[in-house]
Amino acid sequence: MNAENKKIVIIGAGFSGLAAGKELLRNAQEDFIILEARDRIGGRVKPGMLGPLSIDLGGMWLGPTQTRLKELAAHYQVATYPTPLAGKSIFSVNGKMHLGEREEIDGLFNILEGVDYLNSRKKIDKMLSGIDCSQPWNHPEAKALDAVTVEYWLQKSVKSKRIRTLYRLLCFSLFCAESDQISMLFFLHYIKSGDGLDVMISADAGGGQNFLFHGGVHQVADQMGHDLAGKIRLNSAVTKISWTDSGAQVDTIDGSYAASQVIIALPPTIIPKIQFQPTLPRKKNALHKRLVMGSAIKFWVLYETPFWRDQGYSGSILIDDMPCTPIYDVSPTGQDLGVMAGFFDGDHALQFSGESSDSRKRVVTETIAKFYGPQALEPVDYVDNDWTTEEWSEGCYGAFAGPGVYHRYGEWLKKSFGPFHWAGTETSPVWTGYIEGAIRSGESAAKAALAS
């Protein structure tokens, strides 16, 4: 089979691959193709329907400092609305429940626990100050930080059992993994890339979950795909790449492409599925074999009204003794339906992945009913998406590094060599693991390809 000639081949049509394509067009480079294994674009952003509502089964939020996503949404006229937070939120940690206005959690702690929490945050902030997210592996204490897990650090540095449990909750909410699986160096890099812990965990003003998209953020990906019409080939999984320093032949299940530059915009755990000839550098291979994708099942629940608001609740639930947490009110403005979304994360996702959607629905609605009453047991609709079973992502939200990986091999995440340039949200020094990071990484990789 003769190979089709292209200047640049982009592998992956998630936000990073789409952003790379858009950047090439902006620079008047039209000699490229985007190859996508799925039958859709968007990657870890995925459209769905909940009753009459168009929703996101994958990534869905926007924070104010996520400027590239904000600009694209404005360009395509995809409107946003603030995540509803008016009322009391429910927090429960180690058997103690607290009702806090919006996101106020102080009532969870006694005085000693509060002091412990503040001290732990000071320790984290001090460590964060030395992290350069473009090269966290070059931190003077990188080896030591990478040698321990977040859980080890908690045991050594946090006195209170309740505060340690709170951090574990934050870990599986942010990383879809457990605290004893995550390298402390990676934890610090990830937090720093997202403007700090306070920003990353918040849905209030300035937070990473501050805004939602009317009709879903997948509309932005759809519009980017429209601009790239004729440049994207779906159902084209790449099986083999034969390469030299001056170019590559990219083989898919139904065709081959010859290119001088290749942008690989895939989740890092998917790259080992491709056969490289010759093989990639050993440290590059080692990195991709050791990174692990987080585990998440995302769910949506539809009610006739947001009845919890009449009871004075915000709809936010963060608890440590139920598997489906956190849960948020995500009801779009301008309509009367009540909408909640949430997650089974980390070990909970793995536990419930083998269950039916109806079984998960029962767990979710019973959890909501525990706090808001029996009305929660009769939703109008329920939809979930098990990301652990998705062949071309193998999980969500992103990949994380266990101990000993990042300081040894992290520099190979984005390092260009031969004809290759690497994209994907995990390669971004800004908002790693988020749509914003994916967009920035794709644009950066395209610029590198253009300069080569």
Side-chain angles (χ1 to χ4, degrees):
M1 183 183 297
N2 292 328
E4 184 177 337
N5 289 309
K6 293 290 179 183
K7 174 72 175 175
I8 300 171
V9 169
I10 301 170
I11 303 174
F15 261 97
S16 55
L18 296 172
K22 288 274 290 179
E23 183 66 18
L24 294 180
L25 288 183
R26 192 180 71 82
N27 284 273
Q29 174 55 263
E30 298 194 14
D31 189 13
F32 68 92
I33 192 76
I34 303 176
L35 305 174
E36 170 55 50
R38 293 179 170 96
D39 61 0
R40 62 173 180 83
I41 63 172
R44 284 170 269 177
V45 168
K46 181 179 180 180
M49 293 298 297
L50 182 76
L53 302 177
S54 174
I55 61 170
D56 289 309
L57 296 174
M60 70 177 185
W61 272 291
L62 169 71
T65 63
Q66 296 169 3
T67 54
R68 290 299 297 122
L69 177 55
K70 183 179 180 180
E71 290 164 1
L72 284 168
H75 174 73
Y76 292 120
Q77 298 182 325
V78 179
T80 62
Y81 62 98
T83 301
L85 276 176
K88 294 185 182 298
S89 297
I90 294 170
F91 304 96
S92 179
V93 179
N94 280 20
K96 183 175 183 179
M97 192 170 84
H98 167 64
L99 303 180
E101 290 293 330
R102 300 181 74 85
E103 294 180 334
E104 183 273 311
I105 64 170
D106 291 351
L108 268 178
F109 317 136
N110 61 34
I111 293 176
L112 290 178
E113 290 167 340
V115 170
D116 193 27
Y117 180 68
L118 291 175
N119 286 338
S120 68
R121 289 299 306 274
K122 288 178 181 178
K123 292 173 184 176
I124 290 174
D125 289 343
K126 184 177 180 180
M127 290 186 288
L128 286 176
S129 66
I131 295 289
D132 177 354
C133 288
S134 65
Q135 48 179 2
W137 37 84
N138 287 334
H139 186 282
E141 301 297 324
K143 185 175 181 179
L145 291 170
D146 205 31
V148 302
T149 63
V150 176
E151 180 63 28
Y152 180 89
W153 182 84
L154 291 175
Q155 296 291 342
K156 293 291 184 179
S157 304
V158 179
K159 298 177 182 179
S160 161
K161 181 179 179 181
R162 181 166 287 112
I163 302 303
R164 290 197 296 270
T165 301
L166 178 64
Y167 277 112
R168 292 181 193 122
L169 268 171
L170 297 179
C171 268
F172 75 68
S173 297
L174 289 174
F175 298 90
C176 302
E178 307 302 317
S179 59
D180 60 359
Q181 298 172 315
I182 304 164
S183 150
M184 193 64 189
L185 178 64
F186 182 82
F187 174 87
L188 294 170
H189 156 73
Y190 193 92
I191 297 301
K192 182 76 171 281
S193 80
D195 295 333
L197 196 55
D198 287 336
V199 171
M200 295 192 81
I201 64 176
S202 177
D204 214 335
Q209 289 72 237
N210 195 178
F211 294 101
L212 294 149
F213 294 85
H214 281 287
V217 71
H218 63 265
Q219 297 171 103
V220 178
D222 292 342
Q223 290 297 321
M224 294 171 77
H226 179 77
D227 288 349
L228 292 161
K231 301 290 187 184
I232 303 172
R233 298 195 181 170
L234 301 177
N235 300 303
S236 295
V238 173
T239 56
K240 181 179 179 181
I241 302 177
S242 304
W243 62 281
T244 67
D245 286 344
S246 59
Q249 177 170 308
V250 179
D251 297 333
T252 74
I253 57 176
D254 59 1
S256 296
Y257 304 85
S260 59
Q261 305 291 318
V262 179
I263 296 172
I264 299 184
L266 299 175
T269 57
I270 299 298
I271 290 170
K273 290 187 175 185
I274 301 172
Q275 178 187 354
F276 289 87
Q277 183 62 42
T279 59
L280 296 175
R282 290 180 180 178
K283 287 190 175 182
K284 179 70 171 171
N285 268 332
L287 171 70
H288 290 282
K289 289 179 179 178
R290 287 165 173 78
L291 293 175
V292 182
M293 190 63 72
S295 302
I297 301 171
K298 183 176 183 179
F299 60 82
W300 289 75
V301 194
L302 179 66
Y303 295 102
E304 290 182 355
T305 64
F307 57 87
W308 50 90
R309 296 179 185 175
D310 295 335
Q311 303 172 41
Y313 293 110
S314 71
S316 293
I317 302 172
L318 182 67
I319 48 181
D320 70 328
D321 59 354
M322 296 284 184
C324 50
T325 184
I327 299 173
Y328 298 92
D329 180 345
V330 293
S331 307
T333 56
Q335 55 83 58
D336 296 329
L337 296 169
V339 186
M340 288 187 162
F343 305 88
F344 295 85
D345 283 330
D347 283 353
H348 291 145
L350 297 177
Q351 175 188 352
F352 282 88
S353 179
E355 302 288 332
S356 67
S357 181
D358 283 344
S359 295
R360 294 192 291 260
K361 172 185 174 181
R362 183 170 60 253
V363 171
V364 170
T365 55
E366 287 177 354
T367 298
I368 298 171
K370 177 180 179 180
F371 300 105
Y372 302 145
Q375 190 173 351
L377 296 173
E378 301 295 335
V380 175
D381 198 8
Y382 171 90
V383 177
D384 65 25
N385 194 82
D386 183 355
W387 283 93
T388 69
T389 64
E390 295 252 348
E391 179 181 7
W392 299 110
S393 58
E394 298 184 339
C396 256
Y397 317 134
F400 67 90
V405 175
Y406 227 48
H407 88 276
R408 284 188 174 92
Y409 314 119
E411 64 178 312
W412 286 92
L413 262 175
K414 194 178 178 181
K415 181 187 288 188
S416 294
F417 57 88
F420 298 121
H421 309 280
W422 306 87
T425 185
E426 288 84 1
T427 70
S428 176
V430 179
W431 282 105
T432 304
Y434 288 71
I435 299 171
E436 178 74 12
I439 295 168
R440 288 172 179 257
S441 75
E443 292 172 345
S444 176
K447 291 172 183 175
L450 288 166
S452 297

